[in-house]
Amino acid sequence: MPTVRDPASDLQHALLSRLKLRQLSLLAAIDRHRTLGRVAAEMRLSQPAITKALREAEDIFGSRLFERTSRGLVPTPSGEAVLHYAQRWLAELEATSRVLTSLGAGQSGRLRMGLTQQVPQRLLSSALTHLLDRTPRMAVMTREGTTDELVAGLVARELDCAIGRSYDGDATGLVQEAIYEQAPCLVVCAKSVKRLSRGPLDWARMAKLDWILPPPNTPMRRTYNAIFVGAGVQPPLPMLETTSIRSIEMVLRTEPNAVSILARDVVAEMELSGNCAALPYRMSWNLPPVSFFTLKELEGHPMVRSLRSAVTETARSMQGTAA
């Protein structure tokens, strides 16, 4: 009786026996530059050598990975699939090399942590102190971004964990735990508080001010737009779109009609400068909770587990103080 061949098993065998990391690096470089000439210059090889290497990679995968267009070399659907995994493998290799380098330098390892701008200072301090006050010391890399950007970094294996807002999108293997609730408040220039807080909260009146909002298609922008819509008001066209606390503070300091929505505890930290202040209105809703993120494959890692316990304990203490 003839043996039934499994094409997927045959391809897996070809990848295990023939595929080399330099070929994955080549495919990633082609995707970045989209021209073989630029790839050849980066890799310090001749263009014919790059062309030959691409053909070898396509032969291994059994598919055409790029096609020539007026925009240069563009990945085919098979190329997109290969690049998705190639970039993850290369990111894992880069992370491994840095961990080994840190261990060789006498450190206890390396952890890559993502943070949103609205993580309270006390929570940030707790996380960094936990990581840095170790013997031997841990090497730490931090990256700031929106929750969507941090989740993308986790999925791409560019981050090990993150602290951000709760995420309602679809990300394979993502694990998140809500650790801290934050109340929202309206924040304005300190000199404008008396003028802008006359009367009850009126969202129609507020919408006419100069708004500072997060960029479009971010979780917080969607939340704020829903608040205006729920109040029967068209969401305002913002004067500034940013998640940078420094940028928000600067504009609030100089623009008398500028307003934004931030977490009350973050605004309390901003108020210490005397330039910004919260309007005396209480919202009937909470911000999406601050959450700890990692991947399923990393949640049992000793350093990730230890950090999650530390920030969760700090968040519990902060919540009790605020209550």
Side-chain angles (χ1 to χ4, degrees), residues 150-162 174 293-295:
L150 299 182
V151 169
L154 284 164
V155 172
R157 277 40 176 198
E158 296 168 355
L159 295 171
D160 302 308
C161 59
L174 183 70
F293 297 88
T294 189
L295 296 175

Side-chain angles (χ1 to χ4, degrees), residues 37 103 182 202 223 237:
L103 290 171
Q182 286 180 308
D202 181 347
T223 296
L237 184 66

Side-chain angles (χ1 to χ4, degrees), residues 17-251:
S17 60
R18 298 175 59 194
L19 185 64
K20 298 178 176 64
L21 285 172
R22 61 180 175 81
Q23 291 165 323
L24 297 180
S25 180
L26 167 71
L27 298 178
I30 294 173
D31 186 45
R32 282 197 307 274
H33 297 297
R34 302 298 171 97
T35 69
L36 295 182
R38 291 177 183 171
V39 174
E42 177 185 309
M43 304 188 77
R44 298 182 181 179
L45 295 170
S46 67
Q47 190 164 326
I50 295 295
T51 301
K52 180 182 178 182
L54 174 58
R55 287 174 181 163
E56 289 175 350
E58 291 181 324
D59 182 61
I60 292 170
F61 283 102
S63 299
R64 190 176 183 183
L65 303 179
F66 292 90
E67 60 182 3
R68 293 185 180 276
T69 71
S70 59
R71 295 178 288 116
L73 288 167
V74 175
T76 63
S78 294
E80 291 282 6
V82 169
L83 284 165
H84 173 72
Y85 290 103
Q87 287 158 353
R88 286 175 52 179
W89 292 330
L90 292 170
E92 292 280 17
L93 182 64
E94 190 268 346
T96 301
S97 66
R98 292 190 180 277
V99 168
L100 292 175
T101 301
S102 68
L103 290 171
Q107 296 171 326
S108 61
R110 183 172 186 264
L111 189 124
R112 303 164 300 170
M113 179 173 61
L115 300 158
T116 61
Q117 283 269 337
Q118 290 202 41
V119 172
Q121 282 294 120
R122 186 175 166 189
L123 203 58
L124 172 60
S125 177
S126 171
L128 291 178
T129 299
H130 182 77
L131 293 172
L132 296 175
D133 284 4
R134 305 177 67 84
T135 304
R137 176 167 286 178
M138 158 110 15
V140 179
M141 185 276 284
T142 64
R143 177 195 297 178
E144 290 188 348
T146 65
T147 296
D148 285 357
E149 291 167 345
L150 299 182
V151 169
L154 284 164
V155 172
R157 277 40 176 198
E158 296 168 355
L159 295 171
D160 302 308
C161 59
I163 304 174
R165 295 287 179 200
S166 62
Y167 181 74
D168 57 4
D170 183 22
T172 303
L174 183 70
V175 177
Q176 61 176 313
E177 177 186 354
I179 60 173
Y180 185 61
E181 294 285 348
Q182 286 180 308
C185 69
L186 295 163
V187 56
V188 299
C189 173
K191 296 179 181 178
S192 302
V193 169
K194 185 175 181 180
R195 173 173 58 87
L196 295 179
S197 61
R198 291 174 185 148
L201 176 59
D202 181 347
W203 285 105
R205 177 170 65 91
M206 285 294 161
K208 296 176 182 178
L209 298 177
D210 297 326
W211 276 88
I212 306 169
L213 293 173
N217 301 318
T218 56
M220 293 313 304
R221 181 66 173 272
R222 293 191 289 269
T223 296
Y224 297 156
N225 284 348
I227 298 305
F228 282 102
V229 172
V233 178
Q234 178 70 22
L237 184 66
M239 67 178 297
L240 174 67
E241 294 173 306
T242 185
T243 58
S244 167
I245 296 296
R246 289 180 62 188
S247 296
I248 293 171
E249 281 190 282
M250 187 204 70
V251 174

Side-chain angles (χ1 to χ4, degrees), residues 248-262:
I248 293 171
E249 281 190 282
M250 187 204 70
V251 174
L252 289 175
R253 185 170 64 244
T254 58
E255 297 291 333
N257 287 323
V259 61
S260 189
I261 302 177
L262 295 174

